[in-house]
Amino acid sequence: MSDLSADAVATEHPGAVPADGNPAAPGGGRTVGTAVPRSLVDRLAAGITATGVPSVVETVAPLTGERLAALPQSTPADVEVAFQLARRAQAAWAALPVRRRAGVLLRFHDLLLKRQDEVLDLVQAETGKARLHAFEELLAVAMAARHYGRAAQGYLKDRRRGGALPVLTHAVEARRPKGVIGHISPWNYPLELCVGDLLPAFVAGNAVVNKPDTQTALTGLWARELLIEAGLPADLWQVVIGDGPVIGPAVVEHADYVSFTGSTRTGREVAQRAAARLVGASLELGGKNAMLVLSDADLEAAAAGAVRACFSSAGQLCISIERLLVHRSVADRFLELFVARTRALRLGGGLAYGADMGSLVSVRQLDTTTRHVDEAVKAGATVLTGGRARPDLGPYFYEPTVLDGVTPEMAVCGEETFGPVVSVYRFDTEEEAVAAANSTPYGLNSSVWTRDLRRGRAVAARLRTGTVNVNEAYAAAYGSVAAPMGGMGDSGLGRRHGAEGILRFTEAQTVATQRMMPIAPSFGLDDKQFAAVMTGGLRVLKALRFK
Ligand code: NAD
């Protein structure tokens, strides 16, 4: 393993430091090589289900572009083994009382907070994001662990329902685990989108076969170790790794339910495969999210919020804002504040707090970002700040970028960039702003800024997105883990968080017990008399307001 020094980045990736570019953050002095030593990689890789003599794929640290880990790849046969092991472990786990399973989540919560530095290093090493943004993931996971640890019993308990005949029919709705969940996750939030989504699945009594993105597999494997330390039976969470188009379909092929987070294109394929098997799927997909700055917004707060909205994790966040819709009367002042804040963001990849934005994850993300910006500029858009790569900082760094004058034929207008790029549009009426925000097949997240909270919530009701944040970028809705989060339209199906986020991992089962008389002619009544008695009974039930 080479010694990857964040401080050495400048020498590893020489390039002219632009005089007017974003400043570099202090490096912090610690190296990826010492934070993620070979011994740790080997220990974590032992958690992958890959038998025989597996082929190995190397990952790189985006901060420097140097080798990070060599990970064994699973085969479709390994996926089958993983499901067998998971299925065996699931039966005993499901037999435990919910309270015992919830206890694992609560212990995990405490361990995670205690050992946070270990996993923040891993998230940064695998994704290249700033430590603050890695911490946001940890925050989300801890909130989910606390919520489902405390609330699972309530979500999962048997519920008495009105029976077919009052008094005579006793009906109960019960929740049974699906069995083994196939969970496919992307690279951008490797802690939250891996373990965060799995916590409700486990507490509901399921096992999981998880296929994380190879680039960020170590983070999930670390979380698996921690959950095992908190009391999760080891076989309950199987990890398989490999080429998405090969191993992903193999996971869907065996799963009792599929939970997928990734691009809309892959999500459609996953949905089709799940549908062919008649198993359910939840799909958390892409977005082209809008932020609306209304004429009465607190512009300082909105500018600070827009920075978080657009550049957290270098824009590689499904709920980040790529379209800024600003009321014409405040646009100049807002842009002055926003562009100044954006230009001042400190870029860097040290394994310490201090950088405001880190690197993109890969050359693929850098290429898309560069293409979207360059094409737009060629077609007439203006760069208000940013608009270039920063090889002096690392191979995949790109400056936070604000574009003006973007028109519909430019890719950056309608396609998800998934990078640190936002386009500004002006509007005159609220009507126009709502129509513009909704003028996309996506429907994931949106953000509305106004001093009038009632007005903000009224605008929210007209936006076709699964979450709307009033006077916040995304964290208010995402962090409200007791409420559902997900996408409308091309942004997905189903929801994580809240009741939907756990009940999706269960089957509803109604257990109805009939007492004293059947729901059929009896007590000497013939068919006609039975029909007459029931007709009268139905009238009475409606009059008595029975539901
Ligand atoms: P992706 O669709 O390329 O990959 C996601 C996962 O699917 C990876 O593990 C990949 O290996 C696997 N995969 C690839 N081909 C597959 C196939 N044919 N069958 C099954 N699995 C397959 O997405 P990505 O580029 O890794 O992630 C970025 C995308 O994810 C963005 O569009 C982003 O908006 C979206 N995303 C959405 C959310 C959300 O909550 N809505 C969260 C994070 C990311």
Side-chain angles (χ1 to χ4, degrees), residues 89-455:
Q90 190 261 337
W93 175 247
L96 293 177
V98 179
R99 183 178 39 80
R100 290 268 304 277
R101 302 198 298 255
V104 174
L105 269 58
L106 295 172
R107 282 192 294 279
F108 173 75
H109 171 275
D110 296 347
L111 286 171
L112 184 65
L113 294 185
K114 194 162 143 199
R115 308 238 316 253
Q116 56 180 283
D117 282 330
E118 290 174 40
V119 75
L120 294 180
D121 282 348
L122 275 173
V123 171
Q124 281 201 279
E126 292 196 308
T127 64
K129 66 176 71 178
R131 201 167 190 83
L132 179 65
H133 302 148
F135 180 76
E136 282 186 8
E137 293 203 41
L138 190 132
L139 203 58
V141 173
M143 286 174 168
R146 187 201 61 225
H147 176 67
Y148 286 115
R150 293 268 181 246
Q153 272 188 284
Y155 285 132
L156 299 171
K157 72 177 182 201
D158 288 356
R159 287 197 150 67
R160 186 79 189 271
R161 300 296 185 202
L165 297 178
V167 184
L168 304 180
T169 318
H170 173 275
V172 167
E173 177 188 323
R175 290 284 161 177
R176 312 292 184 213
K178 288 272 186 188
V180 183
I181 309 299
H183 182 69
I184 301 175
S185 47
W187 46 263
N188 66 325
Y189 273 64
L191 186 64
E192 160 60 1
L193 299 177
C194 187
V195 69
D197 275 351
L198 296 188
L199 296 173
F202 286 133
V203 78
N206 298 283
V208 171
V209 174
N210 165 220
K211 193 212 90 60
D213 194 288
T214 305
Q215 171 63 30
T216 51
L218 294 176
T219 299
L221 287 162
W222 182 91
R224 177 178 176 270
E225 274 195 1
L226 205 70
L227 253 182
I228 292 170
E229 201 177 317
L232 191 85
D235 276 352
L236 212 66
W237 179 353
Q238 300 287 322
V239 178
V240 291
I241 288 185
D243 195 21
V246 178
I247 298 305
V251 168
V252 178
E253 201 47 49
H254 297 283
D256 299 320
Y257 181 83
V258 181
S259 142
F260 173 85
T261 303
S263 63
T264 299
R265 190 171 49 84
T266 312
R268 278 189 211 286
E269 251 187 83
V270 167
Q272 278 166 11
R273 283 180 198 279
R277 294 194 51 237
L278 292 181
V279 300
S282 53
L283 307 164
E284 305 286 347
L285 311 177
K288 190 74 185 175
N289 309 305
M291 170 168 154
L292 283 63
V293 182
L294 306 187
S295 53
D296 66 341
D298 174 341
L299 297 184
E300 289 278 1
V307 168
R308 294 195 297 280
C310 304
F311 306 124
S312 289
S313 292
Q316 299 164 117
L317 166 62
C318 57
I319 47 185
S320 75
I321 297 296
E322 297 196 359
R323 297 183 296 146
L324 261 176
L325 313 179
V326 190
H327 192 270
R328 198 176 303 279
S329 65
V330 295
D332 289 350
R333 178 66 185 141
F334 170 79
L335 283 177
E336 197 181 312
L337 295 167
F338 174 54
V339 168
R341 280 178 179 275
T342 302
R343 204 169 277 151
L345 291 178
R346 294 160 302 169
L347 311 190
L351 299 183
Y353 289 105
D356 302 312
M357 197 182 99
S359 170
L360 291 167
V361 74
S362 62
V363 70
R364 192 182 105 180
Q365 293 311 117
L366 180 66
D367 284 351
T368 311
T369 303
T370 307
R371 179 170 56 79
H372 276 193
V373 173
D374 290 357
E375 280 178 11
V377 170
K378 216 182 218 171
T382 312
V383 175
L384 299 183
T385 184
R388 63 191 158 198
R390 284 293 295 270
D392 56 304
L393 297 171
Y396 313 134
F397 275 85
Y398 196 93
E399 287 190 344
T401 300
V402 183
L403 294 178
D404 202 357
V406 168
T407 49
E409 66 283 1
M410 302 174 188
V412 74
C413 184
E415 289 175 26
E416 185 183 44
T417 307
F418 222 51
V421 179
V422 67
S423 310
V424 180
Y425 307 87
R426 290 159 187 77
F427 65 86
D428 291 303
T429 64
E430 208 171 276
E431 202 64 34
E432 212 182 291
V434 168
N438 288 338
S439 67
T440 162
Y442 293 113
L444 193 54
N445 179 43
S446 49
S447 167
V448 181
W449 293 76
T450 169
R451 283 196 167 88
D452 179 347
L453 303 187
R454 190 188 292 229
R455 182 182 180 200

